[in-house]
Amino acid sequence: QEGQPIYLAVKGVVFDVTSGKEFYGKGAPYNALVGKDSTRGVAKMSLDPADLTHDTTGLTEEELKSLEDIFNNVYKAKYPIVGYTSRRILNEDGSPNLDFKPEDQPHFNIKDEF
């Protein structure tokens, strides 16, 4: 919706990509990535709805390297982190992931996140 922030997740990290509205806004080329964890799509450089998922199963070494490059050099470098997906902070059974430590996450800043 107009005037609302635009969020997308990559590798379980939620980014506010509102400043890139020309890329991610309604009708923009990468709008299909928003509102979900699109890790696989980013890795494969694909907007196919089947690729717009967190699942990285079966990705090639080249695709995984591309994912890391884009994650670090585009998303972490340009957009503020506003949160994390439940997959990052919860186990599959819904219990808290005791290994999740916000301070170990990209760009952790206690003022911005709590």
Side-chain angles (χ1 to χ4, degrees):
Q1 292 182 341
E2 193 63 38
Q4 296 296 312
I6 303 169
Y7 295 157
L8 72 77
V10 178
K11 294 178 57 176
V13 179
V14 181
F15 295 94
D16 180 342
V17 296
T18 307
S19 66
K21 188 171 163 175
E22 66 275 13
F23 301 108
Y24 300 102
K26 187 173 183 170
Y30 301 117
N31 179 257
L33 299 174
V34 304
K36 60 185 74 69
D37 189 326
S38 296
T39 301
R40 185 179 197 83
V42 169
K44 294 181 75 164
M45 295 185 192
S46 168
L47 297 176
D48 181 329
D51 288 329
L52 302 180
T53 176
H54 69 279
D55 188 7
T56 58
T57 305
L59 290 178
T60 67
E61 200 169 307
E62 186 176 308
E63 289 167 337
L64 292 170
K65 182 182 179 332
S66 174
L67 173 62
E68 281 306 307
D69 290 346
I70 294 168
F71 180 75
N72 289 311
N73 300 323
V74 175
Y75 293 108
K76 279 175 54 180
K78 291 184 180 181
Y79 301 109
I81 294 171
V82 294
Y84 304 97
T85 64
S86 62
R87 287 191 177 284
R88 199 170 257 256
I89 60 175
L90 299 177
N91 294 315
E92 295 219 7
D93 65 3
S95 64
N97 175 1
L98 299 178
D99 294 328
F100 178 83
K101 298 192 178 16
E103 61 272 19
D104 294 338
Q105 301 305 309
H107 294 292
F108 174 78
N109 183 328
I110 199 159
K111 287 191 317 193
D112 292 340
E113 297 188 16
F114 296 100

